[in-house]
Amino acid sequence: MATDLDDFIATTEHRRPSRILYRAGFTEDLRRRVVEHIGTENIAGHYGFYASAGVSLKRPEGLPPLDFSRYWHGVELPEGTRMSGGVARVPCDFFHFTHIVSPLRHATSLKEIEDYPFDDMHGWACSMTPEQVQQAHTDGRIVVGWVGHMYETAWQIRGLEQFLIDLVERPAWAECLLQRLADQNLIKATAYAQAGADLITTGDDVANQKALMFSPDMWRRIFHSRWAKIWRRVKEINPSTRIWYHSDGRIDAAVPDLIDAGLDILNPVQPECVDTDAIHKRFGHHLTFDGCIGTQSTMPWGTPDEVRARVKECIGKYGRNGGLMLAPTHVLEPEVPLANIDALFDACREFGTFE
C-alpha cells in the first residue's frame, strides 16, 4: 500500500498516485467549530490530510533573545499586541487579522537598516536528526521545511509604503533589507536540504487580483534573483527536494521564470485570479499545482454540491496523472459552512482515490 510520501513523489514526478493528497488550514474560530462538529481535535486524521513532519532550525539553548526595545521606547501599544521579529502585531476587531506596526517605519539612514537585529543562524542545528528524518520516511511522512518570506517580511519591518518608496527612491535600502533576509533563508534552506527534507516551502505575495505588483524587470532583479539563488543551492545539495512557492493573486506572468529557477510546486493557483486551464496547458508538465479550491468563491459561498463539483473538475483536469495536490487557496475563514468542509474532503476521497 502506497504511503503519503510515495504519493507525494509520484505526484511531483507526474505519475498517477494512489490518491490525491489534500489538506486545509482554519482560522481559530472556524477550527473550534470544526472540532465541535467532528468530535475530535484531530482534524487532519478525521478528514485524511496527508502526513508530514516539520523540520526547522533550533535556537541554541542559552542564546539571548534579540533586543528590539530601542524601536518601541515611548510607544504605547494596545493590550494583546504580539511581537514577532521586532514587528508589532496589534489585534483588531475582525477575527484573526492584525494591524502591523513596523519598527523601521521612521528610519532615516541606511545604517539603521544595516543595524536592524537579525539572528546569526550559522551553525544552528536542525530540529530533526538524519535518523529522525529517516524514521519519518519509514513512516511514510513528507518532511517539510518552511524557509520563509522576503518581500513580506521586509515590508513588515520597514512599513509597506516606506518599503515601496525605498524600491524606487532608495533602492540600496530595500536591497539591504532583502539581502539580509535572503542570507537567513539560504542558511535555512541549505540545512533542510542537507537534512533530507522532501519539500522546502517559500513564498511572497507579489501579485494582486489582476497582475504582479511590480514591473517584471523589478520583480526579476530585486526579488526573484534572490529566491533563484536559494533554490539552486537546494537542488545542488539534494536534487530530489521539491521547491514550493506561494503567491496569492494573478501570478501568471511570473510562472516561466519560477520554473526556470527550479520551481516544482505552485501554490495556491487562485481560481478567482488566474486562468488555471491556461497555466496547466502551458506548464502542467513542469508544475504540480497545490490549491485550486477557491476561498473567495466556492468554499464560503458555494453549496456542498458546488464544492464537490469543483473538486471533481480539478482532479479530472489536472490530477489524473499526478501534478495536483488539493487545498483551499488560503486558510478557511469563519464564514465557510461546515457542510462545505465535509463536502470538500468527502469529494477528495471519492474522486481522488485511484487504488
Side-chain angles (χ1 to χ4, degrees):
M1 180 177 177
T3 66
D4 287 345
L5 177 58
D6 294 331
D7 283 333
F8 174 77
I9 293 169
T11 295
T12 56
E13 289 180 350
H14 293 266
R15 296 183 286 108
R16 177 173 287 196
S18 72
R19 72 173 185 128
I20 296 290
L21 300 177
Y22 56 87
R23 61 181 174 85
F26 306 84
T27 58
E28 179 54 30
D29 177 80
L30 182 58
R31 188 203 69 82
R32 175 183 53 78
R33 288 186 284 118
V34 169
V35 167
E36 292 175 357
H37 171 62
I38 64 177
T40 176
E41 291 277 347
N42 185 10
I43 296 174
H46 176 84
Y47 285 120
F49 297 177
Y50 64 80
S52 63
V55 62
S56 61
L57 290 184
K58 295 191 296 185
R59 187 179 187 82
E61 290 186 15
L63 182 67
L66 295 175
D67 182 8
F68 298 100
S69 61
R70 75 184 98 163
Y71 303 103
W72 303 108
H73 286 154
V75 178
E76 292 188 14
L77 296 170
E79 184 178 352
T81 297
R82 294 184 297 107
M83 287 290 178
S84 175
V87 175
R89 300 181 180 274
V90 179
C92 67
D93 57 1
F94 190 73
F95 292 103
H96 60 293
F97 292 95
T98 59
H99 299 290
I100 298 293
V101 185
S102 304
L104 290 180
R105 63 197 182 283
H106 299 310
T108 58
S109 69
L110 176 60
K111 189 173 190 310
E112 291 177 76
I113 311 293
E114 294 171 336
D115 289 345
Y116 189 76
F118 282 99
D119 278 312
D120 180 359
M121 294 182 172
H122 287 95
W124 287 22
C126 268
S127 61
M128 295 180 72
T129 65
E131 292 76 20
Q132 289 171 320
V133 171
Q134 182 56 53
Q135 184 59 55
H137 287 164
T138 300
D139 296 340
R141 291 182 291 162
I142 304 160
V143 176
V144 183
W146 166 241
V147 170
H149 303 293
M150 275 189 272
Y151 163 63
E152 290 183 52
T153 306
W155 78 250
Q156 289 172 12
I157 291 172
R158 176 72 173 106
L160 180 58
E161 291 184 7
Q162 294 91 330
F163 182 77
L164 294 177
I165 291 170
D166 288 347
L167 284 169
V168 177
E169 296 186 357
R170 297 175 289 268
W173 292 27
E175 293 213 53
C176 174
L177 191 49
L178 287 169
Q179 190 56 49
R180 297 187 69 200
L181 291 164
D183 291 344
Q184 279 202 325
N185 288 346
L186 179 61
I187 292 170
K188 288 185 280 186
T190 298
Y192 303 158
Q194 290 172 337
D198 307 296
L199 177 63
I200 286 180
T201 54
T202 64
D204 275 318
D205 285 333
V206 294
N208 57 36
Q209 295 286 107
K210 297 184 180 297
L212 287 175
M213 292 189 288
F214 309 95
S215 70
D217 176 67
M218 176 176 282
W219 174 76
R220 291 186 187 103
R221 181 168 44 87
I222 301 294
F223 303 106
H224 180 59
S225 62
R226 290 178 165 86
W227 280 124
K229 179 180 178 181
I230 293 168
W231 297 354
R232 282 196 301 270
R233 180 60 179 147
V234 168
K235 294 294 187 178
E236 288 169 359
I237 296 168
N238 189 350
S240 65
T241 298
R242 300 302 186 221
I243 304 294
W244 179 100
Y245 181 82
H246 166 92
S247 176
D248 293 331
R250 188 166 185 178
I251 195 73
D252 313 42
V255 170
D257 292 293
L258 295 170
I259 292 172
D260 287 346
L263 180 67
D264 299 295
I265 304 171
L266 181 65
N267 171 273
V269 198
Q270 196 174 345
E272 299 87 357
C273 304
V274 301
D275 186 338
T276 312
D277 288 348
I279 293 179
H280 187 264
K281 181 177 180 180
R282 185 176 177 190
F283 303 113
H285 56 296
H286 291 295
L287 284 178
T288 292
F289 290 172
D290 178 33
C292 298
I293 308 299
T295 53
Q296 292 176 312
S297 53
T298 307
M299 288 307 298
W301 314 125
T303 65
D305 284 344
E306 288 169 335
V307 172
R308 288 173 51 81
R310 176 59 180 166
V311 171
K312 183 177 181 180
E313 176 189 27
C314 288
I315 294 173
K317 286 183 174 181
Y318 319 127
R320 303 298 298 181
N321 294 294
L324 177 68
M325 301 165 68
L326 281 176
T329 52
H330 209 276
V331 63
L332 290 176
E333 303 282 357
E335 65 268 21
V336 174
L338 295 173
N340 283 2
I341 295 171
D342 289 341
L344 171 63
F345 302 124
D346 286 347
C348 286
R349 287 190 289 264
E350 179 179 349
F351 304 118
T353 301
F354 304 131
E355 293 181 6

